[in-house]
Amino acid sequence: MGRFLASSLSSLWKSFPRSYCVGQASKSNLSQLRKKTGVPLKNCREALEKFNNNLEEAEKWLLEEAQKQGWARADKLQSRSMSQGLVGLIQSRTGATMIEVNCETDFVARNEKFKDLVYHLTVACHSNLKNDANKILLKQEELNSLPSEDKKLSDIVALEVGAIGENMRLRRAVFFPSSEGQYVNSYVHNSDKKVVIKDCHLGRYGVILSVQQAAGTETRESLTDITTDLAVRGQITSPFSTKEQKELLFHASTQPMRKGETLGHRSLHTTSLGMDDKLTHLDSSGKAKMVDVGDKAETVRTAVACASISLGKKAFTLVEANKTKKGDVLSVAQLAGIMAAKRTSELIPLCHNIGLSKVSVDLSLHGDSYSVYIECEARTVGRTGVEMEALTGASVAAITVYDMCKAVNKEMVISDIRLLSKTGGKSGEYKFEPK
C-alpha cells in the first residue's frame, strides 16, 4: 500500500503543470525579464523563483542588484583601459550637446544596450545643460553628479556595468547655446553605418560648429551654408573622439567671420618627437639594425595582445554551430596563433629568436556584434620582451578565422590589434590606457 501510494504521488507530481509549482520560473516571464533587464538568464531565473514569478518584484530586485554589482565591478575594473566607446550628440533650438562615453571593447560599443545608454545619457545631459548657461564644458566628476529623474548619471552607468559586465564611464560633455546672430551646426561620423536614435546621433567622432554673425556682413543663408554637414566634414578636425588621444581635443571659438571668408583647416591633434627620443632599430645613419641585448639581465617577461574580427551574421552562425566546411574554426585559429607566435623572428625583421615558455591564444564569440575576440599571451625568461610574439599570435589567429570563413563572407573586418599589457625588462610594467 505504501509503495503504491508513493508511486501514485510521484506520477501525480510529474503530471502537475510546472507553471503551478511554487518558486518555478515560467518561460514567458523569464523571456520578458531577460529582454527588459538584459541580465543573464540564470539571474533572471533566480529573481523569478525568489519572488514566486512576480515579474515586477523580480525586475525591481534585479535592477537593484545590478546597480550594486555595477559599482563593485567598476571599482574592481577601474584599472582596466576603456579605449572604445561612442559620442552622442543632440541639437535643438536651444543649442547642441555632445558627450563621450567609454567602454573596454568595440564589441560592447556596437551593442544595442550600450547605444541606448549613450542615447539616454545624451538626452539627460542636454536637459540639464540647456538650462544653465554657465555649464559649457563638463569633466567627469561634475558630469556624473547631474540628475536624471530619480538617479544620478553615475548610477545609470553603474547599472549598465552590472548588466553588461564591462567597465564604462561617462567621460565629458560640452554644450553650445544658440543665441541671436549665432549659428550652430553639428556632425557625427561613424566608421560603420549611421546610427540615430530619435534625434540623437551616435558615432566615433563628433563636431559642433558655432559661427557668430558680424554686424550686417552675412546673410542668414550664407551662415547656414557654412555650418552644413559638408563644411563640418571638410574643414574641421573633430574635437571629440573615442580613439586614443594625447590630449583633450576640444577647441571652442566664436570669432566673427567676414563675408566671403571660408573656414580654414585646423589640426587639433599634434605629436612631436623629442631630441632624447631614439628609435632603437636605426643606427646613426638611419639604417636598420638589430639591437644587441647581450648585456641585459634575464627576467620574466610577459605580454598580452588582442585582435577582433567581425564575421557577419551568416558566418558567425556557422562558426558558433561548428558547421563550416573547413572544420572547427576556433580550434584551427588557436593553433595557428600559437604556431605564429613561436615563429615571430622569421616573420618580423630584426626580432630576436627567443625561447617561449608559454603561449596561449583564447578566442571568444560575441553574438551581439557577430564577432570573434582574440587574446594572445606570451611568456619567456630572457633578455628581450615578447610583445611582438603576442601581437603576431593574435594577428595570425584573426587572419586564420578570415581564411576559414572567406567562402561565406569576404567583407569580414579585422580590427583593434593592439598590445594590452607587458611586464619585465628595464621599462617595467605597461597597461594600455586611454589618454
Side-chain angles (χ1 to χ4, degrees), residues 2 14 27 36 47 50 56 95 117 131 141 150-151 154 189 200-201 211 219 241 296 298 330 338 398 408 425:
K14 289 179 180 178
K27 289 185 178 179
K36 280 187 173 184
K50 181 180 180 70
E56 291 183 2
L117 170 66
N131 297 321
E141 185 175 348
D150 59 339
K151 294 185 178 72
S154 57
H189 170 73
C200 179
H201 293 250
V211 178
T219 64
S241 166
K296 290 186 176 182
E298 288 194 348
L330 301 184
I338 293 172
V408 180

Side-chain angles (χ1 to χ4, degrees), residues 36 99 107 182 249 342 376:
K36 280 187 173 184
I99 73 167
F107 307 109
Q182 188 169 349
L249 302 186
K342 294 194 294 183
C376 177

Side-chain angles (χ1 to χ4, degrees), residues 102-155:
N102 300 130
C103 58
E104 292 180 40
T105 63
D106 65 327
F107 307 109
V108 167
R110 297 172 189 167
N111 185 287
E112 294 302 320
K113 284 185 68 64
F114 184 76
K115 292 175 184 177
D116 287 338
L117 170 66
V118 178
Y119 163 70
H120 288 297
L121 291 174
T122 308
V123 171
C125 288
H126 188 61
S127 298
N128 280 279
L129 298 179
K130 70 181 182 180
N131 297 321
D132 191 343
N134 295 320
K135 292 178 178 177
I136 298 177
L137 176 64
L138 294 186
K139 298 291 185 67
Q140 188 174 355
E141 185 175 348
E142 186 178 7
L143 182 60
N144 279 276
S145 64
L146 293 179
S148 176
E149 296 179 353
D150 59 339
K151 294 185 178 72
K152 293 181 180 179
L153 298 190
S154 57
D155 294 330

